[in-house]
Amino acid sequence: ATCNGSLCGLCAALPFPHPMKKNTWKGHRSVIIPDYQGIGIGTRFTDYVADIFKREGKNYISTTSNPAMIHSRINNPKWVATRKGRCSSGSGSGRMQNKHIKGSTSCNRITMSFEYIGDKK
C-alpha cells in the first residue's frame, strides 16, 4: 500500500490447504508502518486485498489478535466471525506448531477468525 507515493503498508496471503474448505487463502501478515497507523489504512487495505481474492472466486480468511482489527471486523458486514477464543487446538502432530514450546500457540492472547464475504448484492 502506498500513500502519496510512499510505502505505508504491506499484506501477505498464503494458500490454505484444507480437506473441506477448497480454494481458500489466508491473510498471513498485514503491516502498516507506524507513521500511518490509527487512521484506518489497515482496515481498508485488508478489505481491498480480501476483495481481490473474492472477485477471483477464492475464499479469504483471516485470524487476528489486534483489538482494533477485531472491533473493526465485528462491525463490518463484509466479514463474518468464524471463531473466538484464546486457544486453538493446534495441529496435534506438532508439524505446524509445537504446543509444548512456550509462546508458540495463541493461548496467551485473545484471537478471532473471520471470513470475508464481501458486499451483499
Side-chain angles (χ1 to χ4, degrees):
T2 60
C3 181
N4 297 326
S6 297
L7 178 70
C8 66
L10 63 96
C11 182
L14 297 169
F16 186 69
H18 192 278
M20 304 294 283
K21 198 165 182 72
K22 303 292 184 192
N23 202 24
T24 299
W25 285 71
K26 183 172 184 171
H28 171 64
R29 180 78 59 200
S30 298
V31 177
I32 301 300
I33 293 173
D35 290 349
Y36 297 94
Q37 291 177 1
I39 57 175
I41 292 174
T43 299
R44 289 187 179 171
F45 184 41
T46 56
D47 283 3
Y48 178 77
V49 170
D51 197 59
I52 291 171
F53 283 94
K54 189 73 171 174
R55 285 191 315 245
E56 291 179 357
K58 298 175 174 124
N59 299 311
Y60 191 84
I61 59 175
S62 177
T63 299
T64 185
S65 61
N66 180 297
M69 189 64 76
I70 290 171
H71 178 75
S72 171
R73 289 190 177 159
I74 285 173
N75 294 299
N76 186 339
K78 295 179 180 183
W79 292 90
V80 173
T82 57
R83 186 190 63 80
K84 177 181 180 180
R86 277 198 187 272
C87 246
S88 164
S89 61
S91 67
S93 69
R95 288 185 186 159
M96 300 303 289
Q97 66 184 3
N98 187 337
K99 59 186 171 186
H100 303 294
I101 296 176
K102 186 177 181 177
S104 68
T105 68
S106 63
C107 291
N108 295 326
R109 62 189 185 279
I110 294 173
T111 61
M112 283 193 74
S113 298
F114 297 88
E115 182 169 355
Y116 183 80
I117 59 169
D119 291 318
K120 293 183 180 181
K121 295 182 181 181

